[in-house]
């Protein structure tokens, strides 16, 4: 039967009308009917960004200036947020990363479009792998010019989506507040990490300036010309429609996964029966909301020996009888229970192969993929139990792995887990002979290290002796930043952070070049602390220009450079295996003079200065307290201390 012409006509009209309504919605025509565009307002989108940041407690924005983002920087400064400009965009992100780790808030970096953003990629990836909550703000070409060959216009979103938990491109001024609030909440929720928000330049500048760029230069001719003129005018009006209506700048809730009561009880039973338990702690234990001092007290009450890694270094102070620094592999083979608190079975634990197959293992991690890293190779789950966290807002997987090894995994926050475990084990104390035996092994190994530090190297100073000398004079409030390979690897065995959140290293990505940015962020967060950067001479090259930043922003730090004129961590394996030192050699460069050129102070320390080493270090500390950044260029020789360490 033929369709009724009237019905077909009605259907066609409906489709057309529906299409027109959808087009009106997409073009913002409907929104403009309900929300005013204030064409005379001098306000701009940068002010909205600044207001959200201030409401979230952001104190610093790190940047390398560019015209795309100038309104944000100016507005932040007016609201009392300190703008700290660096000499490289990567340094800005590294500094924001350090602020996030030390302050418990989101670190913020703002860079210009195109190459400004591509310069941050390594630093953003480092923050992702280190699980640092960080907001990267990027400029972008105007909304109508993207993909049309505008200056510094690239597909930035595709670049950062694999690196960030959340990516957004603001399309209208009214979107700024909700988008930035959402980004800041996501950065801190679950497993923390970086987020990226792109701001096209026309969303940041005031209406009257943007209008000049959109304005048609001459009266439009013909239908096509009039349609284009209308489209441009409508786009401009929609860009600013509702921009200055009252907004709520307050933070959104941050969602954190917690272990269930059943999971905690199961772990209490396991620990209470253990005779030789060991705790391996990673950076996650320092994350909010649990204060690090509370975690420290909980660990003291349990009396379980601990190995500390990443940001957890220093958690137990300088000389705790529970902090075991040496012979970890041997301890793990002997332990009957291992608690992995934010520690991952990656290359740092030989992918899990260092764990004894007869050992009971409790693994706690916010990230499900990290929680079960390499379990397909070394852990064989047979039972999976689904559970919920205490607030019933996050599901978390509780797996009991019943193979040769008994493993309990908890998808949750490691810091709060340790507190609840300690409370549930009130009255429990690890048998004292166990930590005492491990500590005795520590004493024996560290005496051997000290003896090795007393040996004379063929040329220059013994690096171990230099590190021991610095460690002995570090004040209690000092912060150590680690940036390098061989020299820094030695420092990790010798230098002792004085307390929680007093050690900063790149994390699992092993990134070189973090030193300048990490030290900058640390000094701004803790202005009264003595901040030391432990540099290899290779890694120093990435951020030595930040001595200019230290000088301009009055953030004095001390850089200790182990200068052996070599990429030694690579050379140590390359030469015996492949028979060549190609590309590993550097020069005994006068880095102290480079620092002086950027406004700092420098000291060259050679073998003939060995007897005065302590005095020179004390002088550097005094100069730093007086407001000058100082670089100690220490010429060091070769030792076999780190033979066998990995570089790949």
């Amino acid at each position: 039967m033929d369709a009724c012409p009237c019905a077909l006509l009605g259907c066609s009209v409906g489709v057309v009308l529906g299409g027109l309504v959808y087009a009106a919605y997409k073009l913002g025509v409907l929104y403009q009917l309900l929300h005013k565009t204030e064409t005379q307002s001098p306000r701009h989108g940068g002010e909205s960004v600044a207001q959200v940041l201030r409401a979230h407690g952001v104190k610093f924005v790190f940047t390398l200036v560019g015209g795309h983002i100038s309104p944000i920087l100016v507005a932040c400064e007016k609201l009392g947020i300190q703008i700290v400009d660096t000499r490289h965009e990567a340094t800005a992100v590294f500094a924001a990363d350090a602020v996030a780790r030390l302050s418990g808030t989101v670190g913020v970096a703002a860079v210009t479009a195109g190459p400004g953003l591509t310069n941050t990629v390594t630093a953003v990836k480092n923050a992702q792998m280190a699980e640092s909550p960080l907001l990267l703000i990027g400029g972008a070409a105007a909304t109508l010019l993207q993909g049309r060959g505008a200056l510094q216009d690239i597909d930035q979103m595709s670049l950062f989506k694999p690196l960030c938990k959340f990516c957004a491109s603001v399309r209208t001024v009214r979107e700024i507040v909700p988008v930035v609030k959402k980004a800041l909440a996501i950065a801190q929720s679950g497993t923390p990490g970086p987020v990226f928000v792109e701001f096209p330049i026309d969303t940041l500048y005031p209406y009257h300036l943007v209008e000049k760029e959109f304005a048609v230069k001459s009266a439009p001719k013909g239908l096509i010309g009039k349609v284009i003129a209308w489209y441009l005018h409508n786009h401009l009006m929609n860009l600013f429609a509702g921009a200055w209506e009252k907004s709520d700048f307050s933070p959104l809730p941050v969602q954190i996964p917690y272990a269930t009561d059943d999971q905690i009880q199961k772990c209490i039973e396991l620990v209470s029966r253990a005779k030789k338990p060991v705790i391996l702690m990673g950076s996650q234990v320092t994350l909010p909301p649990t204060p690090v001092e509370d975690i420290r007290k909980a660990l003291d009450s349990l009396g379980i020996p601990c190995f500390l890694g990443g940001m957890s270094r220093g958690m137990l102070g300088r000389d705790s009888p529970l902090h075991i620094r040496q012979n970890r592999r041997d301890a793990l083979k002997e332990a009957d229970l291992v608690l992995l608190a934010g520690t991952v079975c990656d290359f740092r634990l030989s992918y899990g192969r260092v764990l004894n197959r007869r050992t009971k293992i409790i693994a706690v991690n916010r990230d499900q993929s990290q929680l079960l890293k390499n379990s397909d190779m070394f852990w064989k789950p047979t039972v999976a139990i689904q559970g919920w966290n205490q607030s019933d807002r996050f599901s978390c997987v509780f797996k009991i792995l019943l193979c040769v090894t008994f493993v309990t995994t908890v998808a949750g926050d490691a810091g709060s887990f340790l507190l609840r475990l300690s409370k549930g084990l009130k009255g429990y104390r690890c048998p004292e002979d166990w930590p005492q035996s491990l500590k005795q092994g520590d004493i024996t190994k560290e005496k051997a290290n000290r003896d090795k530090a007393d040996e004379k190297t063929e040329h220059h100073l013994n690096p171990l002796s230099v590190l021991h000398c610095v460690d002995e004079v570090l004040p209690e409030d000092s912060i150590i930043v680690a940036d390098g390979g061989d020299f820094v690897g030695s420092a990790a065995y010798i230098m002792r952070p004085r307390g929680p959140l007093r050690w900063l290293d790149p994390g699992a990505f092993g990134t070189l070049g973090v030193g300048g940015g990490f030290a900058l962020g640390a000094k701004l967060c803790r202005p009264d602390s003595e901040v030391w950067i432990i540099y290899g001479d290779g890694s120093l090259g990435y951020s030595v220009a930040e001595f200019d930043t230290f000088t301009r922003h009055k953030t004095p730090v001390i850089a200790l450079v182990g200068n052996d004129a070599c990429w030694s961590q690579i050379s140590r394996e390359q030469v015996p295996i492949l028979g060549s030192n190609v590309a590993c050699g550097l020069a005994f460069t006068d880095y102290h003079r480079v620092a002086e050129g950027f406004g700092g102070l420098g000291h060259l320390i050679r073998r003939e200065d060995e007897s005065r080493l302590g005095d020179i270090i004390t002088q550097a500390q005094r100069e730093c307290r007086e407001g000058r950044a100082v670089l100690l260029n220490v010429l060091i020789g070769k030792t076999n201390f780190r033979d066998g360490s990995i570089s790949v």
Side-chain angles (χ1 to χ4, degrees):
M1 181 184 238
D2 292 337
C4 174
C6 292
L8 288 174
L9 179 62
C11 182
S12 300
V13 170
V15 170
V16 171
L17 288 175
L20 289 173
V21 170
Y22 179 74
Y25 167 75
K26 293 295 289 183
L27 293 171
V29 175
L30 299 180
Y31 187 88
Q32 292 174 58
L33 294 174
L34 302 174
H35 301 273
K36 183 180 179 182
T37 300
E38 299 180 33
T39 60
Q40 302 303 312
S41 175
R43 297 178 64 183
H44 57 78
E47 296 172 352
S48 298
V49 177
Q51 287 173 302
V52 176
L53 296 182
R54 181 176 66 173
H56 285 70
V58 173
K59 295 182 179 179
F60 310 104
V61 171
F62 299 94
T63 189
L64 199 157
V65 71
H68 289 86
I69 57 169
S70 290
I72 295 175
L73 305 181
V74 172
C76 285
E77 184 184 43
K78 287 182 178 179
L79 292 184
I81 298 173
Q82 186 174 346
I83 302 299
V84 185
D85 59 306
T86 64
R87 299 304 300 268
H88 196 287
E89 289 89 352
T91 297
V93 175
F94 286 137
D97 185 341
V99 167
R101 299 188 195 194
L102 294 178
S103 70
T105 59
V106 178
V108 180
V111 300
T112 198
L117 276 163
T118 58
N119 277 347
T120 70
V121 168
T122 297
V124 173
K125 180 62 182 180
N126 192 80
Q128 180 193 44
M129 293 189 67
E131 300 174 349
S132 294
L134 185 149
L135 168 62
L136 177 64
I137 292 171
T143 51
L144 282 180
L145 295 179
Q146 292 182 354
R148 297 180 179 274
L151 175 66
Q152 298 179 332
D153 179 32
I154 60 171
D155 181 2
Q156 299 171 163
M157 299 297 288
S158 295
L159 192 63
F160 286 96
K161 282 179 180 177
L163 308 178
C164 296
K165 296 179 65 182
F166 171 78
C167 291
S169 181
V170 171
R171 310 315 292 174
T172 63
V173 180
R174 62 181 175 270
E175 294 176 20
I176 291 176
V177 172
V179 167
V180 176
K181 286 176 59 175
K182 181 179 181 180
L184 289 165
I186 290 174
Q188 300 171 85
S189 294
T191 304
V195 293
F196 170 59
V197 180
E198 173 187 88
F199 291 90
I201 193 169
D202 49 350
T203 65
L204 294 178
Y205 280 84
Y207 180 93
H208 69 278
L209 290 179
V210 178
E211 182 185 28
K212 291 180 182 179
E213 299 300 320
F214 278 84
V216 178
K217 306 305 179 185
S218 57
K221 296 179 181 179
L223 178 61
I224 298 299
K226 290 179 180 179
V227 169
I228 292 174
W230 176 87
Y231 178 80
L232 292 174
H233 177 72
N234 177 75
H235 186 87
L236 174 65
M237 297 299 285
N238 184 53
L239 193 65
F240 286 88
W244 314 124
E245 295 175 1
K246 187 175 181 180
S247 298
D248 177 11
F249 301 108
S250 61
L252 297 173
V254 173
Q255 299 174 329
I256 299 171
Y258 294 100
T260 66
D261 290 338
D262 287 344
Q263 291 171 329
I264 295 292
Q265 184 57 42
K266 182 64 177 178
C267 294
I268 288 171
E269 294 170 6
L270 289 173
V271 174
S272 66
R273 292 195 293 266
K275 302 299 182 183
K276 294 183 176 181
V278 168
I279 299 176
L280 271 62
M281 284 194 289
S283 297
Q284 276 194 14
V285 298
T286 66
L287 292 173
T290 308
V292 288
E293 287 297 337
D294 291 352
I295 297 173
R296 181 175 179 171
K297 293 175 183 176
L299 294 171
D300 284 337
S301 71
L302 289 170
I304 298 174
C306 301
F307 289 90
L308 309 178
M311 287 295 295
S312 75
R313 289 178 184 267
M315 178 66 73
L316 294 169
R318 177 181 180 178
D319 296 311
S320 169
L322 300 179
H323 181 197
I324 312 302
R325 293 161 52 86
Q326 314 289 342
N327 306 313
R328 185 178 69 177
R329 183 181 293 268
D330 293 338
L332 292 177
K333 292 297 183 185
E334 192 175 350
D336 60 1
L337 181 140
V338 174
L339 169 53
L340 303 175
T343 299
V344 183
C345 287
D346 57 15
F347 69 93
R348 292 167 292 185
L349 281 180
S350 190
Y351 309 99
R353 287 176 294 192
V354 297
L355 301 173
N356 191 323
R357 290 184 176 274
R358 294 184 297 275
T359 301
K360 295 180 174 63
I361 301 170
I362 300 171
V364 188
N365 200 294
R366 292 195 186 193
D367 188 329
Q368 187 71 18
S369 65
Q370 299 292 350
L371 178 69
L372 299 173
K373 181 76 74 178
N374 293 309
S375 64
D376 57 334
M377 295 174 64
F378 304 110
W379 304 350
K380 304 298 181 185
T382 56
V383 180
I385 303 172
Q386 183 77 30
W388 292 87
N389 74 339
Q390 287 181 322
S391 62
D392 289 334
R393 287 182 295 184
F394 281 83
S395 66
C396 55
V397 177
F398 182 124
K399 290 185 181 289
I400 304 177
L401 309 183
L402 297 168
C403 289
V404 183
T405 303
F406 184 95
V407 181
T408 298
T409 66
V410 181
D413 174 60
S416 61
F417 173 87
L418 289 171
L419 250 64
R420 293 167 64 193
L421 183 69
S422 173
K423 290 177 181 177
L425 286 165
K426 192 172 183 179
Y428 164 85
R429 185 80 181 173
C430 174
E432 292 189 1
D433 58 334
W434 169 236
Q436 287 173 358
S437 67
L438 294 179
K439 198 65 176 179
Q440 188 57 50
D442 250 24
I443 294 170
T444 302
K445 185 68 175 288
E446 291 184 356
K447 183 182 183 302
N449 292 345
R450 183 78 240 196
D451 291 342
K452 190 172 287 292
D454 292 335
E455 298 173 359
K456 288 290 185 181
T457 51
E458 184 177 356
H459 303 287
H460 308 298
L461 292 170
N462 186 320
L464 308 180
S465 176
V466 173
L467 291 167
H468 274 292
C469 190
V470 172
D471 183 63
E472 288 166 4
V473 299
L474 286 179
E476 288 302 308
D477 66 347
S478 60
I479 296 175
I480 302 169
V481 174
D483 184 11
D486 196 67
F487 188 59
V488 167
S490 298
Y493 281 94
I494 293 169
M495 303 190 74
R496 294 166 291 179
R498 297 331 196 219
L501 300 177
R502 298 201 174 277
W503 172 278
L504 287 166
D505 64 27
F509 203 31
T511 309
L512 294 180
V514 302
F518 276 13
L520 178 64
K523 189 63 179 178
L524 288 167
C525 279
R526 310 274 178 82
D528 296 329
S529 293
E530 189 173 279
V531 177
W532 283 77
I533 317 174
I534 311 302
Y535 273 124
D537 54 338
S539 62
L540 173 68
Y542 289 93
S543 65
V544 67
E546 301 307 336
F547 266 78
D548 171 72
T549 307
F550 300 146
T551 300
R552 288 183 296 106
H553 289 283
K554 298 179 174 56
T555 50
V557 303
I558 304 174
L560 177 72
V561 183
N563 186 353
D564 61 357
C566 186
W567 295 95
S568 292
Q569 184 153 307
I570 309 304
S571 178
R572 175 180 290 107
E573 293 179 333
Q574 180 175 308
V575 172
I577 295 174
L578 300 174
S580 171
N581 199 47
V582 63
C584 294
L586 296 171
F588 287 105
T589 302
D590 287 342
Y591 297 117
H592 55 292
R593 293 185 178 177
V594 177
E596 290 171 349
F598 284 119
L601 296 175
H603 298 274
L604 176 63
I605 303 176
R606 298 158 297 187
R607 172 168 280 183
E608 51 264 40
D609 302 309
E610 186 170 15
S611 62
R612 301 190 304 111
L613 180 58
D615 293 336
I616 297 173
I617 293 171
T618 300
Q619 180 183 345
Q621 291 176 305
R622 182 175 64 253
E623 291 166 343
C624 186
R625 288 193 297 270
E626 292 171 353
R628 303 292 295 276
V630 185
L631 187 147
L632 303 178
N633 184 16
V634 186
L635 306 187
I636 59 173
K638 307 290 186 182
T639 75
N640 61 359
F641 179 68
R642 299 193 68 243
D643 283 359
S645 62
I646 63 170
S647 62
V648 291

